[in-house]
């Protein structure tokens, strides 16, 4: 990457060098447009992996391994000297992407704070102290005399939280309100309004500062974006920025899996057994109303293409339904073109890709629309009824509803998959066509087990 080198590639204090940036200000770097997007996507894979781990309730030690593995896998660079630049550039690109709404800011702030937490914890003690110095925190280590006066209390707290203390342990005394997570977890000794923080707990103090700075920076970035940057970059960067927050980072489902094909005679049974709720709802509404608005036709039509419905069968399928409401002649004039277009047979001849979960969740269906994500857009009453019809039992149903209340819509879909199929889905559901493919594999496996001679699965 050709770039103007920033004056500071790493934090330096008392001769200690660290490659963990604090992201105080954007670097003076010239970035190629393709790197601008690719670096952001790599970092986004890390943040989305963190989000999935948190929503699945992984324990701190599990999260630490996950975060470090994600970072090592996705944030490499063929030139080791560029790793820090990639880190900094990707952060500031995503800061632009996620500054634009309160919901986006909240997600980005949480994920970046979690990422920084585990990267900080992975640093050596001398590096951690160097980073503390860069935050310019006005705290000094507790003196030996003061340590002796509270040593017994500190040991009691350490034992209570399963940690050991040593005579050469370093403690800092800080106002208790600056380490709220330690206070809330009763993991710190407090005396006269001050908390005594062990060196291995300093991350809580640093994280409070990091989060505060980033929160303010996101608000300021949003002001710059809306007042100046968006208009200046409307033809170059703005389209990339606006697309990144809904980017799908998984496999391409524009083509069905090998040898997969569904026939019209089997489609109702397959919809019942293997469609995710979003597609099952659209399918049922199409059968019921014999019509879907444009958003619904696109969402369901591209999904059906991705699972193996051939163009001729797709035209027959949609014509059979729509002709019952608008007539066959009007269907051929107004709707058939759109179906052929989705299959790359009209217009630009583009082979359009089925919608990902992220795209579906971010859609905004209006009155009379049936597309979008049911976990986000259904009322709780309607969602409960729909899940019950899918065969989700009472206990898993409550787990799904709990995830929905906490806005973990893809995890709610994952739990639905597991409840319906009686099988785990460790990778999580990220795409409706992934849900379908995984469902079909399970059903095919069950068919093979129950019939050793083998019978063709309904989708084949």
């Amino acid at each position: 990457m050709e770039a103007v080198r920033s004056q500071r590639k790493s934090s330096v204090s008392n001769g200690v060098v660290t490659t963990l940036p604090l992201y105080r200000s954007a670097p003076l770097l010239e970035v190629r447009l393709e790197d601008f997007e690719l670096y952001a996507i790599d970092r986004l894979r890390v943040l989305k992996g963190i989000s999935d781990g948190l929503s699945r309730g992984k324990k701190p030690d599990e999260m630490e391994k996950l975060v470090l593995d994600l970072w090592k896998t996705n944030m490499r660079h063929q030139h080791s000297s560029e790793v820090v630049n990639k880190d900094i550039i990707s952060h500031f690109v995503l800061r632009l992407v996620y500054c634009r709404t309160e919901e986006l800011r909240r997600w980005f702030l949480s994920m970046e704070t979690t990422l920084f937490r585990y990267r900080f914890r992975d640093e050596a003690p001398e590096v951690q102290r160097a980073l503390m110095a860069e935050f310019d925190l006005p705290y000094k280590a507790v003196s030996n005399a003061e340590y002796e006066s509270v040593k017994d209390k500190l040991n009691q707290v350490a034992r209570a939280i399963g940690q050991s203390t040593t005579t050469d342990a370093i403690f800092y005394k800080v106002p208790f309100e600056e380490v709220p997570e330690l206070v809330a977890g009763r993991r710190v000794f407090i005396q006269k309004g001050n908390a005594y923080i062990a060196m291995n707990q300093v991350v809580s103090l640093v994280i409070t500062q990091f989060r505060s700075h980033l929160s303010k920076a996101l608000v300021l970035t949003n002001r710059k974006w809306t007042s100046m940057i968006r208009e200046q970059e409307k033809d170059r960067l703005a389209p990339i920025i606006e697309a990144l927050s809904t980017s799908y980072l998984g496999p391409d489902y524009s083509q069905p899996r090998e040898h997969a094909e569904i026939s019209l005679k089997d489609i109702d049974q397959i919809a019942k057994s293997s469609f995710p709720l979003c597609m099952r709802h659209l399918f049922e509404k199409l059968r019921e109303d014999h019509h879907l608005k444009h958003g619904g036709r696109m969402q369901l039509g591209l999904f059906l293409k991705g699972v193996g419905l051939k163009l001729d069968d797709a035209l027959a399928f949609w014509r059979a339904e729509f002709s019952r409401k608008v007539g066959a002649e009007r269907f051929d004039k107004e709707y058939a073109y759109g179906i052929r277009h989705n299959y790359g047979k009209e217009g630009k001849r583009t082979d359009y890709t089925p919608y990902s979960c992220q795209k579906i969740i971010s859609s905004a269906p209006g009155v009379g629309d049936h597309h979008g994500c049911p976990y986000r857009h259904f009322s709780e009453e309607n969602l409960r009824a729909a899940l019950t019809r899918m065969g989700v039992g009472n206990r898993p149903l409550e787990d799904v509803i709990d995830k929905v209340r906490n806005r973990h819509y893809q995890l709610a879909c994952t739990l639905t998959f597991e409840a319906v199929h009686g099988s785990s889905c460790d990778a999580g559901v990220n795409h409706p066509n992934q849900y379908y493919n995984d469902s079909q594999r399970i059903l095919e496996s069950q068919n093979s087990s129950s019939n050793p001679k083998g019978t063709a699965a309904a989708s084949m």
Side-chain angles (χ1 to χ4, degrees):
M1 181 181 75
E2 297 178 0
V4 177
R5 302 292 181 203
S6 60
Q7 295 300 308
R8 173 183 166 279
K9 285 183 63 179
S10 57
S11 307
V12 182
S13 178
N14 297 326
V16 177
V17 179
T18 173
T19 56
L20 177 56
L22 302 184
Y23 314 108
R24 292 291 181 83
S25 58
L28 299 174
L29 293 171
E30 293 178 357
V31 187
R32 294 184 305 188
L33 201 59
E34 57 266 35
D35 289 335
F36 181 91
E37 184 172 11
L38 289 174
Y39 287 4
I41 288 174
D42 282 347
R43 192 183 194 93
L44 197 51
R45 292 183 194 278
V46 176
L47 299 186
K48 289 192 173 182
I50 291 172
S51 177
D52 183 64
L54 291 172
S55 62
R56 284 176 170 271
K58 287 186 178 292
K59 298 176 181 178
D61 57 335
E62 295 174 324
M63 281 302 303
E64 183 163 12
K65 183 180 185 306
L66 173 67
V67 170
L68 297 179
D69 286 348
L70 286 167
W71 186 263
K72 183 178 180 180
T73 300
N74 295 286
M75 293 302 290
R76 294 174 295 183
H77 195 283
Q78 59 181 343
H79 303 300
S80 58
S81 60
E82 293 295 339
V83 171
V84 175
N85 280 339
K86 179 178 179 179
D87 180 2
I88 296 172
I89 291 165
S90 62
H91 171 87
F92 279 95
V93 173
L94 291 186
R95 191 182 285 191
L96 271 177
V97 173
Y98 285 90
C99 76
R100 295 173 299 122
T101 69
E102 184 178 351
E103 184 177 1
L104 291 176
R105 288 194 295 272
R106 189 186 307 115
W107 184 86
F108 182 70
L109 181 61
S110 177
M111 297 309 110
E112 280 286 340
T113 301
T114 302
L115 173 60
F116 188 85
R117 173 193 300 279
Y118 289 108
R119 291 184 67 196
F120 181 90
R121 284 169 53 118
D122 192 50
E123 297 283 6
E126 61 271 17
V127 174
Q128 293 180 349
R129 288 193 288 271
L131 287 167
M132 284 184 66
E134 291 216 5
F135 276 108
D136 199 24
L137 299 175
Y139 311 121
K140 294 182 179 179
V142 172
S143 66
N144 289 336
E146 186 172 3
Y147 172 74
E148 288 297 328
S149 69
V150 296
K151 181 173 66 175
D152 290 342
K153 296 291 186 183
L154 296 176
N155 287 335
Q156 288 178 22
V157 173
R159 286 193 296 270
I161 62 176
Q163 295 181 351
S164 59
T165 58
T166 60
T167 55
D168 59 349
I170 298 175
F171 283 84
Y172 294 86
K173 185 168 68 173
V174 305
F176 77 91
E177 63 269 19
E178 297 201 11
V179 284
E181 62 176 18
L182 292 180
V183 175
R186 297 185 178 184
R187 292 181 285 130
V188 66
F189 171 61
I190 299 176
Q191 180 173 272
K192 296 181 180 179
N194 290 311
Y196 287 77
I197 309 300
M199 190 63 214
N200 60 10
Q201 296 175 312
V202 160
V203 63
S204 296
L205 185 61
V206 173
I207 283 299
T208 300
Q209 300 296 322
F210 178 83
R211 186 182 185 92
S212 175
H213 167 76
L214 182 55
S215 179
K216 294 173 184 176
L218 284 168
V219 174
L220 292 175
T221 304
N222 175 251
R223 292 175 186 170
K224 290 181 181 178
W225 170 259
T226 54
S227 65
M228 180 176 61
I229 301 175
R230 181 171 56 191
E231 181 60 27
Q232 289 178 346
E233 297 287 349
K234 63 181 180 181
D235 297 322
R236 193 171 70 108
L237 296 185
I240 297 174
I241 293 296
E242 291 170 355
L244 274 171
S245 64
T246 57
S247 293
Y248 168 65
L249 307 177
D252 177 16
Y253 290 100
S254 57
Q255 297 296 327
R257 62 193 178 104
E258 190 176 4
H259 307 307
E261 184 177 330
I262 61 174
S263 65
L264 291 180
K265 66 181 179 63
D266 296 323
I267 195 168
D268 286 275
Q269 178 57 40
I270 293 172
K272 186 175 181 180
S273 65
S274 294
F275 281 17
L277 180 56
C278 56
M279 300 305 171
R280 180 166 171 163
H281 174 66
L282 283 168
F283 185 85
E284 290 173 349
K285 282 297 177 182
L286 176 61
R287 288 296 202 205
E288 179 182 326
D289 299 338
H290 312 298
H291 189 271
L292 286 175
K293 291 187 176 182
H294 177 74
R297 296 198 302 274
M298 289 294 291
Q299 184 172 311
L300 179 60
L302 290 173
F303 169 79
L304 291 174
K305 171 194 167 192
V307 302
L309 189 66
K310 300 300 183 183
L311 175 58
D312 289 345
D313 284 343
L315 286 167
F317 169 74
W318 290 98
R319 182 183 288 110
E321 291 301 327
F322 271 56
S323 62
R324 297 174 65 177
K325 187 159 189 174
V326 303
E329 184 178 351
R330 185 180 168 190
F331 172 84
D332 290 336
K333 286 183 178 180
E334 298 182 17
Y335 299 101
Y337 176 90
I339 296 167
R340 292 194 299 270
H341 190 267
N342 283 350
Y343 280 76
K345 303 302 181 183
E346 299 284 0
K348 296 180 180 179
R349 311 282 173 171
T350 301
D351 191 14
Y352 288 94
T353 302
Y355 291 173
S356 68
C357 290
Q358 199 71 30
K359 184 176 179 68
I360 291 171
I361 290 169
S362 64
S363 65
V367 177
D369 286 329
H370 298 292
H371 62 282
C373 175
Y375 299 97
R376 179 176 184 180
H377 300 123
F378 275 20
S379 67
E380 183 173 319
E381 181 181 1
N382 287 343
L383 181 59
R384 285 180 179 275
L387 292 170
T388 299
R389 287 196 298 273
M390 287 185 73
V392 179
N394 290 335
R395 184 163 183 174
L397 177 57
E398 294 306 319
D399 291 338
V400 172
I401 296 298
D402 179 65
K403 296 304 179 186
V404 170
R405 288 170 180 162
N406 287 289
R407 301 182 180 182
H408 299 314
Y409 305 118
Q410 287 172 238
L411 188 52
C413 188
T414 302
L415 293 179
T416 300
F417 179 95
E418 293 176 343
V420 169
H421 294 85
S423 177
S424 63
C425 182
D426 294 335
V429 174
N430 296 293
H431 199 292
N433 292 75
Q434 172 211 344
Y435 183 110
Y436 172 84
N437 287 349
D438 289 349
S439 171
Q440 283 290 288
R441 287 191 186 97
I442 291 172
L443 295 177
E444 288 166 7
S445 175
Q446 291 173 349
N447 280 345
S448 298
S449 298
S450 61
N451 185 358
K453 293 184 178 180
T455 56
S459 65
M460 300 300 287

